[in-house]
Amino acid sequence: AVTSEEVFYMIKDEAHNKQYISLTPAFVLPQDGSGVTYTYSCYAVDFNGNMSAPLTVEVSLAFKATSNLALNKPSQAGYSINDNMLASKANDGDINSRWSSEQGNNPTDAWWYVDLGESYNLSTIEISWQDAFASDYVIMGSDSYINPTDASAWQSATLLIAKTEEPTAVGNNTQEIYSVTGNHARYIRFQANTLRNNGWGASIWEFRVFGTG
């Protein structure tokens, strides 16, 4: 049982062998569809590593879930290790493919960019990380086109997220979920400032964007 009021939540999708960490006991629908049932187990975990008994819930998708606006949209990156880890791998809907930037401790080329096709009222941005994290990064948004290679020009765009430390729990398939309600953008750019490990780059399984037109 947890021994402290300071907790975070571990949500597991057992059937699909996925798990992620959240500051709130909330889960993310994994795909659009109907007539499909997903089972989630939610554990409260305190900062001493103590874990509560699970609360399990079944979710039946009898409706069309909110669509990922970034799915298969045009994307670019400052660097990709090889042709198997291109920018498009971070928003292809496949949790088993990833974009990965250059290995090493220089984050200059560790940026990723997507064009949503039109401006949306944003609600949530999600990042599913591989083991190679950016521990300090920003995500910017713009309604107007800004050359994705021009880092200085992007400094004047809207700041959507500023992350300055690693997630509480790190490791393969760690998921970070951010509310960006109140912002709108068509173009979104991720820029790493600090990489977690000098020998690694930044490596993202999936970058998802949610919102309304």
Side-chain angles (χ1 to χ4, degrees):
V2 294
T3 59
S4 168
E5 293 183 359
E6 295 181 337
V7 300
F8 58 93
Y9 297 91
M10 177 181 293
I11 296 92
K12 292 187 175 183
D13 176 3
E14 307 282 3
H16 299 87
N17 194 31
K18 303 296 180 187
Q19 66 183 38
Y20 58 94
I21 303 300
S22 177
L23 294 178
T24 58
F27 52 84
V28 178
L29 298 178
Q31 65 178 55
D32 294 341
S34 60
V36 181
T37 299
Y38 295 91
T39 301
Y40 293 88
S41 297
C42 180
Y43 302 81
V45 184
D46 66 21
F47 288 91
N48 295 316
N50 300 305
M51 183 179 295
S52 71
L55 174 64
T56 301
V57 60
E58 289 188 351
V59 180
S60 296
L61 298 187
F63 57 91
K64 185 174 179 61
T66 302
S67 295
N68 171 16
L69 302 175
L71 182 63
N72 293 322
K73 297 296 176 61
S75 57
Q76 297 182 46
Y79 188 93
S80 299
I81 288 180
N82 57 50
D83 288 347
N84 292 323
M85 299 183 189
L86 298 175
S88 60
K89 299 296 184 180
N91 63 322
D92 62 357
D94 183 356
I95 197 63
N96 296 307
S97 68
R98 61 190 170 100
W99 162 70
S100 188
S101 72
E102 183 177 16
Q103 293 176 318
N105 61 1
N106 183 0
T108 302
D109 288 331
W111 60 264
W112 186 90
Y113 161 95
V114 64
D115 175 0
L116 302 180
E118 61 181 278
S119 290
Y120 289 92
N121 295 313
L122 305 178
S123 59
T124 307
I125 290 179
E126 305 169 9
I127 303 177
S128 294
W129 288 102
Q130 196 256 357
D131 283 326
F133 283 85
S135 54
D136 181 326
Y137 59 85
V138 294
I139 298 177
M140 311 294 286
S142 177
D143 287 320
S144 302
Y145 175 77
I146 303 174
N147 186 338
T149 67
D150 191 344
S152 60
W154 272 92
Q155 292 178 4
S156 63
T158 301
L159 177 64
L160 301 177
I161 297 166
K163 179 73 173 179
T164 57
E165 58 185 18
E166 289 184 357
T168 303
V170 296
N172 200 25
N173 292 328
T174 295
Q175 190 166 21
E176 293 187 289
I177 304 172
Y178 299 97
S179 172
V180 289
T181 300
N183 293 287
H184 53 86
R186 168 176 174 172
Y187 308 95
I188 295 177
R189 188 179 188 271
F190 159 93
Q191 173 69 65
N193 294 321
T194 304
L195 301 174
R196 179 189 179 199
N197 185 296
N198 287 349
W200 300 349
S203 189
I204 295 176
W205 292 112
E206 282 294 305
F207 189 105
R208 306 180 186 91
V209 180
F210 298 90
T212 58

